[in-house]
Structures are given as C-alpha cells and as structure tokens.
Amino acid sequence: MEKATLKVVTNKTKSRSHNFSHVVQGSDQQQAYNQIARPLLEQLRSGYSCTLCAYGQTSSGKTHSVFGPPGCLTVTSVAQAQGETPAEWGIFPRLVLDIQKMDSVVHASAIEIYQDMPYDLLDDRAPLSVGTKRAGLKVGGGVVTVHGNTRASNHCGTHPPGCSCRKCFEAITKMKAATVAAARRDSVGKNHQFDPSPHPRQNKQQQDQFATVGETLQKLETAEDVARFALLVEGTRTSVGHALNDRSSRSHCLVNVHVSLRATTGAKKMVRRKLLIVDLAGSERIAKSGVEGVARHQATSINGSLTVLGKVVRALSVSQRHVPYRDS
C-alpha cells in the first residue's frame, strides 16, 4: 500500500507527524471500503483470519464507517439499490456482500462488551461467559447454535451455556472421563493400545481457544440477511445521546464473521476463516460530553477499557514479555 503522512497538531507549540497506509477524506462509503477493508478479502483467500478495528473518540464516525448512518440497513434499501450496494452502507455489510460472491458459506455472531461483560446481541442481550474452549467441542453443555433454534441444555439444567461453576466443571470432568473410559474399552476389544492424546493432524482443529462461549450464529446468504442482521445489532446495542454525539455507543461491538471457503477451485474440501470486525465505543472527556449518573459510569468504564487496550497494543508492538490482557 502507498503511505500517507498526516500532521497532527496537539497544541499551539507542538505537532506530530504520523504515517498511515491511507488517509480517506470525505464521506464516500465506497472509497473508505476500497482503501480500508477490501484488501482483507485477499488475505482471507490467502488463508489468514483478519481483524478490522475502529478506534477513536466519540462522534468521530466509527459506527458510521463500520455499519452506516442510523436506519440505512434495511430490506427496503436493498430493493431500491436494484442489485447494487446501497450507497450509505458501511464496511461490514460491503465486506459480507463481497464474501458472498465467493464460493463460500457465511455465518456471523454479534457480541456486545458492556462494562467488561459480554452479551449476545442476537439473543436479546443474553449474558455470555468467557473462557477456554476447544474448537469444535461442546463446552459446559452449551453449543453455538443457528439463530432461532433452541439452545442445548447444559449439565446443570438451568445454568447458562459455558457456565464455569463447580457443578458444571464436575459434570464436564465426569463426561470426559466417561468418554475416555469408553474409548479404552473399545480399544482393548480391538487388541491395541489406546492413546488418549489427539492425532497430530487434529491438534490444530482442537487447540484451546480463549473466547466467548454459546453466542448465536446467524447464516448470511443474501443482502437482505445482512440488512436484517445489522439492523438487529443497531437496535439492540446500548447507546445514549450526550453533548458531543446524539448516538454514542456505550459498548464495544464485536461482529465475528465465520467464512467457509473452497480450498481450491472445484475441490470438495472447505477451509474456515474468521473475520472479526470491532466497533469500539468512543473515548470521551466527561467535562465536554456533560454526562451524569449511569452515563457517567459508562464513560468511565469505556475510557478505562480503551486505556488497557492501548497498553496491550503497545506491549505487542515492542515484544514486551508481559502483555496485560487481563487488566480489563
């Protein structure tokens, strides 16, 4: 990519120059998409999972760029565009529409991080747990389900999917022990030694992953599906108006797009990639936004989590031995 230099004036006496891959001027959504997000499509084809993160102060246009202006993501706008992408749609819907044009299957989940707690935006903000899980395996009795289907009940009956309480942990431990014992009996019957460790080829698929557990997945096959998905996220996500922004997001929004692509042209094997799109809540100076009460507490939580994120990025950029992931 070509480099662009932007000079930022911090006060009357000091200024700093920063290098960026691109500086997008104006409000053309297609231009922003072409320069910021379209290169990720080639990365997906090359086998990489990608992340796009929108960061900045409140009212700087993060949600506008990622999703679009309020109310633009509708089925009506799809019909009016007559086969084209609606002009006001942001980066996320444009990315998914281009991925749909590939030989692919697309699912997506939407998670809200509100005051350090995760919620499922596709399930009426149902609380989610965060922990270590194995890819492709059930955790805590809960499973990732397609939107609209009933979730599987867990080992403790009324506990939420992914619960890490003592009863759920003991139930999972017993289930694993029973599975290993059954495999041992089957192996003895076949007169060969049982090895409980996974096959080397399975290590990559069954490696531990630190992630949310039990969020709803929705299949996105058409432009109408994308519009309904994004409109549900927009309507469910926590927001509030203040002196600097009449639609200020009070939570971080993570849209996790799961893409299954053909490994090669005409091949039957499908490879899975993830595209994580993060619309962070905006930082703000409380003295300028004028928020009080609950909104003030929200702003404090947002600023604290963004500070931790900055520390994590800085630690990774300088190869620091300790990365403070768990400070927030």
Side-chain angles (χ1 to χ4, degrees):
M1 292 184 182
E2 57 181 301
K3 294 293 182 180
T5 301
L6 179 67
K7 180 171 287 188
V8 180
V9 179
T10 55
N11 54 46
K12 294 182 179 179
T13 59
K14 295 182 180 180
S15 64
R16 296 180 180 178
S17 295
H18 300 274
N19 291 324
F20 297 89
S21 298
H22 290 285
V23 175
V24 181
Q25 298 180 345
S27 57
D28 189 314
Q29 296 281 54
Q30 183 64 43
Q31 179 188 2
Y33 170 71
N34 289 341
Q35 300 208 16
I36 297 172
R38 189 182 289 276
L40 297 182
L41 295 175
E42 190 58 37
Q43 297 294 326
L44 285 173
R45 289 194 186 97
S46 300
Y48 293 95
S49 292
C50 305
T51 298
L52 188 148
C53 186
Y55 175 90
Q57 69 181 32
T58 183
S59 75
S60 60
K62 299 179 297 300
T63 302
H64 180 100
S65 298
V66 172
F67 293 102
C72 75
L73 288 150
T74 63
V75 175
T76 303
S77 66
V78 176
Q80 293 174 342
Q82 298 180 352
E84 301 293 329
T85 302
E88 292 184 323
W89 281 21
I91 287 173
F92 160 70
R94 291 175 184 271
L95 264 174
V96 175
L97 290 181
D98 278 352
I99 292 173
Q100 288 175 345
K101 295 175 184 177
M102 306 176 188
D103 188 3
S104 64
V105 179
V106 183
H107 292 80
S109 63
I111 301 167
E112 176 183 63
I113 308 298
Y114 177 70
Q115 297 188 8
D116 280 354
M117 292 296 294
Y119 299 91
D120 189 348
L121 291 177
L122 301 185
D123 190 17
D124 197 23
R125 297 189 75 250
L128 295 170
S129 62
V130 179
T132 303
K133 65 180 181 180
R134 284 187 175 272
L137 299 181
K138 296 180 182 179
V139 179
V143 296
V144 178
T145 60
V146 177
H147 184 53
N149 289 352
T150 303
R151 294 177 182 273
S153 59
N154 70 355
H155 302 290
C156 295
T158 59
H159 291 203
C163 178
S164 58
C165 72
R166 181 177 178 179
K167 289 184 178 179
C168 285
F169 175 79
E170 290 176 347
I172 295 171
T173 302
K174 290 180 180 178
M175 181 187 69
K176 290 180 178 179
T179 302
V180 172
R184 286 183 185 277
R185 289 194 299 270
D186 183 65
S187 298
V188 171
K190 294 180 180 179
N191 297 319
H192 66 267
Q193 185 176 3
F194 170 69
D195 182 5
S197 62
H199 190 277
R201 293 182 180 178
Q202 296 177 341
N203 287 340
K204 191 173 183 180
Q205 285 75 25
Q206 295 187 352
Q207 60 187 343
D208 289 340
Q209 296 181 349
F210 188 76
T212 52
V213 179
E215 64 266 28
T216 304
L217 278 176
Q218 183 169 319
K219 193 172 185 178
L220 305 178
E221 295 182 292
T222 65
E224 289 81 4
D225 291 340
V226 177
R228 294 187 189 97
F229 176 93
L231 193 61
L232 181 59
V233 172
E234 178 184 340
T236 311
R237 188 179 177 187
T238 305
S239 62
V240 70
H242 55 66
L244 299 178
N245 189 354
D246 59 359
R247 188 187 65 148
S248 176
S249 300
R250 312 309 285 177
S251 63
H252 309 305
C253 179
L254 286 70
V255 177
N256 206 345
V257 182
H258 300 255
V259 184
S260 297
L261 294 167
R262 295 285 180 190
T264 57
T265 304
K268 294 183 179 181
K269 183 180 178 181
M270 301 289 285
V271 294
R272 296 180 180 179
R273 301 288 176 259
K274 286 186 179 181
L275 174 60
L276 178 62
I277 301 175
V278 184
D279 179 19
L280 293 169
S283 60
E284 65 182 77
R285 292 187 178 181
I286 296 176
K288 290 187 176 182
S289 62
V291 292
E292 297 292 343
V294 174
R296 185 185 185 92
H297 183 69
Q298 292 170 341
T300 301
S301 177
I302 291 168
N303 290 340
S305 64
L306 292 175
T307 298
V308 172
L309 176 62
K311 291 180 179 179
V312 168
V313 173
R314 192 176 302 112
L316 292 172
S317 66
V318 298
S319 300
Q320 184 174 309
R321 185 173 182 179
H322 172 68
V323 181
Y325 291 114
R326 295 194 175 186
D327 282 5
S328 176

